[in-house]
Amino acid sequence: MDLSTPLTYVKGVGPARAAMLEAKGLTAVEDLLGYVPFRYEDRSNVKTIAQLAPGEMATVMAEVVSSMASGFKRRKLGLFEARFSDASRAILVGKWFHGDYLAKVLTDGLRVALFGKVEFDNYTGELQMLHPEFEVLSEDGEGGEAGESALHVGRVVPIYEATGKLTTRILRTLIHRVLAELEPLEDPLPRFLLEPLKLPNRWTAIRQTHFPPPDSDLRLLNNFRSPAQFRLIFEEFFWLECGIALKRAKARSLPGIAFTLDDRVREQIKAMLPFKPTGAQRRVIQEIANDMKQPRPMNRLLQGDVGSGKTIVAAEAAVIAVENGYQVAVLAPTEILAAQHAVYFKQILSKLGYVTLLLTGSSSSREKTQLKKLLAEGLAHVALGTHALLEKDVEFHKLGLAIIDEQHRFGVLQRLGMVQKGVHPDVLVMTATPIPRTLSMTLYGDLDVSTIDELPPGRKPIVTKHATADAVEQVYSFLKRQVDEGRQAYVVYPVIEESESQAMKAAEQMYDHLSRLVFPDLAIGLMHGRLGADEKEAAMQRFKQGQTQILVSTTVIEVGVDVPNASVMVVEQAERFGLAQLHQLRGRVGRGAAQSYCILVTEKMNDAARQRIRTLVDSTDGFYIAEMDLKLRGPGEFFGTKQSGLPSLRVANILRDTEILEIARREAVSFVAGPAGDELRNAVAYIRDHWQRRYGLVMVG
Ligand code: ADP
Ligand code: MG
C-alpha cells in the first residue's frame, strides 16, 4: 500500500463505502490521510457508571436500557431521554433537547460510548449527561479487530466530519488501518526547515494528527496548533507558495516589451484625460508605467473599490501601448460592461485618433469577420470585448497590452488565453474585490498589486437603508421624489422570470407593475440577461441619456455600469443576494455629485441574510465588506476555488491559519530565490508531480 493506492483496496471498504468516500472527494490513501479530524475529545477518563462523580468529564461504555420522549411540555421541547446501564448496574440518564430523531438511533440494547459532563439531577436524584457525545459500539461491525476498539475510547479521540452512514467511527477505523499498513513516509520538505521551525517529520505529523499521543494538549489540538497539525498546515502552504514563487520567477524571466514613455506619450495622456486624476490614480499609473518600461512582461493587479476610477487608469496604460505602436485588448465579463467600456474608450481615445472596436458573442458573423480583419491587419488599436475576444481565430497584428476587467469573473486559464494572442504582452488585471494582503499575495500570487485607495473628489458616501417589503410603498414614494428632482434610479430583482418558485418576483412582471400602476407618468426601462445585445445596449443608452428615469433590471448591471446621474439603487429581495454582489450593485450609484441612496428591501430573512444586510447598512468600505464576506461564507465559497485558480486546501484554512501562511510564504520565497541546488530541484519535481494530481492544471517550472 502506498499513498496512491485506491481506497477500495482498504479492508472494510466495499463498493457502498467507496462511493460514500468518493462523494467526499476521497479516492486514494493520500486523500484519506489528508482528511484530518475537525476536533478532538479527551476520552481518556473511562469509568463505570458507579464510579462517576458529578462535575467531571468522563466516558462510559454502556447499554441502552430504555428510552422515551415524554410529557406534554417536554414533547414540545422534543426532549428525548435514554437510560443507560453497564456492568456496575448503576443508571445514567442521557438527555437531548430536540432529540426526537434519536428514538430511531438509541434503541434498547444498543451499546454505546457516551462522553460528556456528569451532572446530578436534583429532582430525580439520578446522574445525567445533557447532550452527551455518543458513539455506537456494537452496530456498524467495526471494532471487531484486535486492538481497534481501543481507538474509540480511553484516549484523546479524533472526531471526523461524518456524513450519513460514513460515521466518525468508521473513518477513524479506516484511517487507523491505513496508517498501520503504510511504510513510514518520506519527508519531502527541505531538511533545513525542520529544525529551526521545530517541525516534526511528515510521518509523525500525519499519525499524531489523526491519533494524538497520550500527553497531547487538547486545547492546542482543538485550535489546530499542535506541532503535528502545524507541520501539516505549514507544509501545504509551503508547497503552494513555492509553486507561486516559481511561477512568478518564470513569468519575470520572459522577454517582454520595453515600452518607452517619453514627453510625447505623456502629452498624449494629458490630452486624453477628461479630469484630473486623484493622488491614488497617479500613484498606480506610475507603478504600471514603471512595469511597462521594463523589458519583461508586466503582470499587475489593479485593485480598487467600486467607483474608485480604475477605468481611466487602464486607458492611460492603453495610450502608452498604442503610442509605442502596439495594440490593446480589453476583456470584460459581460456584454453590457464590454459595450460600456467600448463607448467610454471610444469617447476618450478617438480624441487621439485611435480606432477602437467591440467584439462580443452577439456580433453578427459578418461583423465579426470584418472586426477580426481590422485586428489582424493592425488597423484597429484597441479591441474591447467579452469571451469572444478569446476565440482561436481572433488574431492581433501586434498585441502589446491585455487588460482584464473584473478579474474575479475570469479564470486563470482565460488570462493565459488572452496573453497567448501576443508575444509576452503586458497584462493588467483589474478587480473591485479587495482582499487582505496576505490573501491577495496567494490568490494573485504571480501578480504585483497596485491599489487605488481613494475615491474621486466630491463623492458623498452612499446612504444605505434597510426596508421590509411591507414598507415598499414608502420606498416607491421616496424614489418618485428623487426622480422628480432630476435623478435616476435602478430597481434590481434577483430573477427575470417567475420560474422556480412562486415567491420570486420577476423583473418583467415588476416592470409591468411599476410602469402601469406605481409610476404611470415616469419613463421606465427594462434590462435583463435574455435581451439581445442590441436591445441591452439600447436600453442602457436610453438610461444613460436620461430618456428612462427608472431602470428595472436583474443583476446584469451588477458590474461596471456607470451612469453618474443615477442616485438611487433599490434592491428587491435583497436577502437573496450575496454580500459582494450587493456591494457591487450599490456601487452603481454614488458616481455623481448628488447624494446617493441604496435601499435594500427584504422579505424573509434568516440570520445570515440579516448579517449581510447589517454589514452593508453599517459600511461602504469594500475592504471591510470583503473581509466580512470571507468570514461569513468561508474561503472555499468566497474564492470560488476553481474560478480563481486557488487550489483547494485540505488541512490548512486560509482564514484560520493566516499567520502560518505568512511564515510559509516567507520561507518559500527565500527558498526559491536561493541557490539552485538539489533540494530546490527535488522540490520543483515534487511540486510538479503533486500539483498535477491535486490541482490538475497549475503549471510550474
Ligand atoms: P471603477 O473603479 O468601479 O471601474 P470607474 O472607472 O467606472 O470606477 O469610475 C467611476 C466614475 O468616476 C466614472 O464616472 C469616472 O469617470 C469617474 N472618475 C474616475 N476618476 C475620476 C477623477 N479623478 N475625477 C473625477 N471623476 C473620476
Ligand atoms: Mg470598472
Side-chain angles (χ1 to χ4, degrees):
M1 179 181 289
D2 64 24
L3 290 177
S4 62
T5 305
L7 289 176
T8 45
Y9 287 76
V10 178
K11 188 172 155 284
V13 181
R17 278 193 186 162
M20 288 188 276
L21 288 163
E22 195 173 342
K24 278 181 160 292
L26 310 175
T27 55
V29 163
E30 185 176 17
D31 304 325
L32 195 59
L33 294 184
Y35 195 72
V36 298
F38 75 103
R39 69 185 175 84
Y40 299 82
E41 278 173 17
D42 185 354
R43 296 184 187 167
S44 48
N45 190 22
V46 182
K47 297 207 162 164
T48 64
I49 296 176
Q51 289 170 325
L52 293 177
E56 69 176 339
M57 299 293 293
T59 303
V60 295
M61 300 210 262
E63 206 166 274
V64 180
V65 185
S66 64
S67 66
M68 61 175 177
S70 61
F72 172 72
K73 246 188 168 160
R74 290 180 167 197
R75 196 181 304 258
K76 234 179 137 185
L77 274 175
L79 182 73
F80 180 80
E81 281 188 27
R83 303 172 72 78
F84 298 89
S85 186
D86 62 6
S88 73
R89 303 186 143 254
I91 294 285
L92 172 70
V93 183
K95 292 182 181 172
W96 289 265
F97 292 102
H98 303 291
D100 304 356
Y101 67 98
L102 289 172
K104 288 208 188 88
V105 184
L106 292 172
T107 49
D108 291 1
L110 189 74
R111 263 176 60 71
V112 298
L114 287 165
F115 166 77
K117 186 168 178 189
V118 183
E119 288 173 15
F120 184 73
D121 183 343
N122 286 323
Y123 187 63
T124 62
E126 290 176 314
L127 288 180
Q128 64 176 21
M129 284 183 179
L130 286 181
H131 286 263
E133 296 293 330
F134 71 89
E135 237 175 80
V136 177
L137 293 177
S138 51
E139 200 185 43
D140 55 23
E142 300 298 340
E145 300 228 336
E148 285 186 349
S149 62
L151 291 176
H152 312 295
V153 283
R155 63 188 303 157
V156 173
V157 176
I159 310 292
Y160 298 91
E161 213 156 287
T163 41
K165 287 189 172 158
L166 205 54
T167 62
T168 186
R169 186 178 173 78
I170 294 171
L171 286 160
R172 192 183 298 135
T173 305
L174 293 178
I175 289 170
H176 188 262
R177 279 181 195 162
V178 162
L179 286 171
E181 292 258 329
L182 279 175
E183 296 288 320
L185 300 170
E186 281 188 32
D187 196 335
L189 274 186
R191 272 160 184 266
F192 67 86
L193 286 173
L194 301 183
E195 181 75 2
L197 290 169
K198 297 202 175 52
L199 302 174
N201 71 46
R202 187 174 191 216
W203 180 234
T204 307
I206 290 177
R207 281 178 311 150
Q208 295 194 347
T209 295
H210 288 289
F211 296 99
D215 54 350
S216 298
D217 182 335
L218 197 71
R219 202 183 43 88
L220 282 184
L221 280 168
N222 280 324
N223 285 314
F224 295 86
R225 287 298 178 273
S226 74
Q229 292 162 311
F230 185 100
R231 142 85 209 210
L232 295 184
I233 294 167
F234 174 87
E235 178 178 347
E236 201 163 38
F237 281 145
F238 180 77
W239 295 126
L240 172 60
E241 293 293 344
C242 279
I244 290 168
L246 288 164
K247 243 171 97 176
R248 198 183 164 90
K250 187 177 175 193
R252 273 156 192 70
S253 67
L254 296 171
I257 306 157
F259 294 100
T260 42
L261 179 54
D262 53 20
D263 285 345
R264 189 183 57 83
V265 180
R266 284 203 187 84
E267 283 308 313
Q268 291 287 72
I269 291 177
K270 252 193 220 144
M272 173 275 291
L273 282 176
F275 40 64
K276 198 163 153 285
T278 62
Q281 283 169 325
R282 276 205 300 278
R283 176 170 45 74
V284 301
I285 188 60
Q286 197 58 51
E287 290 165 359
I288 291 166
N290 284 343
D291 277 2
M292 292 183 74
K293 285 193 275 188
Q294 305 304 317
R296 287 179 298 278
M298 166 168 78
N299 283 288
R300 188 166 282 277
L301 173 75
L302 174 57
Q303 64 174 15
D305 209 345
V306 285
S308 62
K310 295 182 290 291
T311 321
I312 197 69
V313 172
E316 290 183 72
V319 173
I320 299 176
V322 175
E323 290 301 320
N324 277 267
Y326 285 88
Q327 289 170 298
V328 178
V330 183
L331 188 62
T334 65
E335 294 208 347
I336 295 181
L337 190 52
Q340 177 175 295
H341 275 332
V343 172
Y344 190 81
F345 276 81
K346 185 172 186 176
Q347 187 194 330
I348 58 178
L349 295 180
S350 56
K351 281 187 262 179
L352 307 181
Y354 297 178
V355 177
T356 59
L357 60 80
L358 171 66
L359 188 71
T360 68
S362 55
S363 315
S364 72
S365 64
R366 236 190 82 219
E367 209 178 348
K368 272 188 190 158
T369 313
Q370 274 180 346
L371 296 174
K372 283 181 211 159
K373 195 155 171 275
L374 287 175
L375 275 181
E377 289 174 359
L379 297 172
H381 303 101
V382 181
L384 301 111
T386 55
H387 292 86
L389 274 183
L390 293 167
E391 276 164 28
K392 255 212 194 74
D393 57 351
V394 177
E395 286 168 20
F396 286 79
H397 174 63
K398 214 176 162 193
L399 179 65
L401 172 66
I403 297 169
I404 300 166
D405 197 12
E406 308 295 348
Q407 153 81 10
H408 64 286
R409 297 298 187 92
F410 291 101
V412 172
L413 288 180
Q414 282 153 329
R415 199 163 94 208
L416 283 175
M418 198 66 250
V419 166
Q420 277 152 10
K421 305 237 175 244
V423 183
H424 307 313
D426 281 1
V427 176
L428 180 66
V429 301
M430 305 198 284
T431 179
T433 310
I435 51 177
R437 184 175 157 78
T438 320
L439 301 189
S440 69
M441 291 182 116
T442 295
L443 184 54
Y444 303 120
D446 54 334
L447 302 176
D448 298 301
V449 178
S450 290
T451 306
I452 305 185
D453 51 7
E454 179 186 350
L455 291 179
R459 293 283 171 80
K460 297 197 185 77
I462 300 165
V463 173
T464 304
K465 296 275 186 213
H466 172 217
T468 49
D470 47 24
V472 78
E473 294 306 324
Q474 279 155 276
V475 175
Y476 291 155
S477 52
F478 175 77
L479 242 174
K480 177 85 168 50
R481 285 199 300 278
Q482 286 284 310
V483 171
D484 286 344
E485 282 172 29
R487 302 282 90 74
Q488 289 167 279
Y490 300 95
V491 180
V492 176
Y493 290 87
V495 281
I496 68 149
E497 265 167 22
E498 205 143 355
S499 50
E500 303 109 274
S501 73
Q502 288 272 312
M504 289 259 226
K505 287 182 212 162
E508 271 172 343
Q509 237 182 313
M510 278 319 284
Y511 165 75
D512 246 37
H513 177 69
L514 291 179
S515 54
R516 281 197 295 174
L517 298 173
V518 187
F519 305 117
D521 46 356
L522 298 184
I524 318 271
L526 174 66
M527 168 73 87
H528 59 68
R530 304 215 184 143
L531 294 176
D534 289 352
E535 291 169 296
K536 276 188 211 156
E537 161 103 46
M540 211 56 233
Q541 280 310 316
R542 279 196 300 276
F543 189 61
K544 235 180 171 149
Q545 288 156 10
Q547 290 160 329
T548 42
Q549 292 154 304
I550 296 176
L551 186 63
V552 177
S553 175
T554 62
T555 50
V556 290
I557 60 149
E558 178 192 337
V559 287
V561 167
D562 183 38
V563 180
N565 190 48
S567 70
V568 186
M569 166 63 65
V570 177
V571 184
E572 299 259 359
Q573 296 178 33
E575 71 274 11
R576 290 175 183 272
F577 294 92
L579 205 40
Q581 213 177 6
L582 288 172
H583 181 60
Q584 280 282 343
L585 283 170
R586 177 168 61 181
R588 296 313 109 219
V589 296
R591 294 175 164 254
Q595 174 64 55
S596 288
Y597 302 88
C598 174
I599 302 167
L600 305 171
V601 184
T602 61
E603 287 177 8
K604 276 207 192 96
M605 284 205 285
N606 59 20
D607 284 349
R610 208 163 284 125
Q611 274 200 314
R612 289 197 295 272
I613 303 291
R614 192 176 315 133
T615 303
L616 281 157
V617 171
D618 286 350
S619 174
T620 51
D621 176 357
F623 225 99
Y624 169 76
I625 288 164
E627 264 175 26
M628 284 301 287
D629 199 21
L630 185 57
K631 280 204 190 106
L632 291 176
R633 283 199 293 162
E637 261 190 83
F638 178 84
F639 291 122
T641 302
K642 289 224 175 66
Q643 272 284 305
S644 63
L646 184 75
S648 50
L649 298 162
R650 279 188 184 141
V651 185
N653 175 317
I654 220 164
L655 269 190
R656 182 191 67 204
D657 304 325
T658 313
E659 91 279 8
I660 305 179
L661 174 62
E662 268 160 26
I663 299 169
R665 181 179 166 76
R666 204 174 57 223
E667 295 295 343
V669 166
S670 77
F671 178 50
V672 168
D678 277 349
E679 265 184 327
L680 187 54
R681 261 192 298 282
N682 291 342
V684 171
Y686 179 79
I687 294 169
R688 197 179 282 136
D689 292 352
H690 238 67
W691 284 36
Q692 298 305 346
R693 187 174 115 65
R694 271 184 61 183
Y695 314 132
L697 290 164
V698 180
M699 281 161 285
V700 182

